[in-house]
Amino acid sequence: MNSKKVEEISESLEAMHKFAQIYAKQTNTFFCFDPSITSVVITGLANYKNKYGVPLCPCRNYHNEKAEIDLNYWICPCVSMRERKECHCTLFLKPDQEYASQTQKIDIDTIYENL
Ligand code: SF4
């Protein structure tokens, strides 16, 4: 990602970084053992937040992103996460799930390194 783009999304990136750590703690979920996965998902959320002001789920394809925002289903934390603790992006994993680490923290520098 070029430096102009990084600068453009840095505020959203920091907001989503904070959100992910707090929400993992609140829900007793954990990040993936591979921090590059966590980084990519947080960056994807930040890109949408930067574009629309809300973090649409970055792991889906949308025919119409604005319509999806109006539906409010795939705005993170999405309905499946809120209702059943199911995160399809491997951002928030239950402790016994495959790929779950034991951490609810990720360094912001790790996210920047994976941009
Ligand atoms: S699947 Fe849901 S909780 Fe997971 S990143 Fe996407 S919107 Fe967020």
Side-chain angles (χ1 to χ4, degrees), residues 41 45 57-59 74-78 81 86-89 91-92:
V41 179
L45 290 168
C57 183
C59 310
W74 288 113
I75 294 173
C76 192
C78 60
M81 181 66 204
E86 286 174 7
C87 170
H88 306 285
C89 298
L91 178 58
F92 303 113

Side-chain angles (χ1 to χ4, degrees), residues 30-38 90-93 98-101 103:
F30 294 84
F31 295 149
C32 181
F33 73 86
D34 179 350
S36 70
I37 304 280
T38 309
T90 326
L91 178 58
F92 303 113
L93 293 163
E98 202 180 357
Y99 309 125
S101 71
T103 187

Side-chain angles (χ1 to χ4, degrees), residues 54-71:
V54 289
L56 257 187
C57 183
C59 310
R60 307 190 67 82
N61 289 319
Y62 305 107
H63 293 300
N64 184 330
E65 293 173 351
K66 287 192 175 154
E68 289 292 341
I69 290 167
D70 290 341
L71 284 174

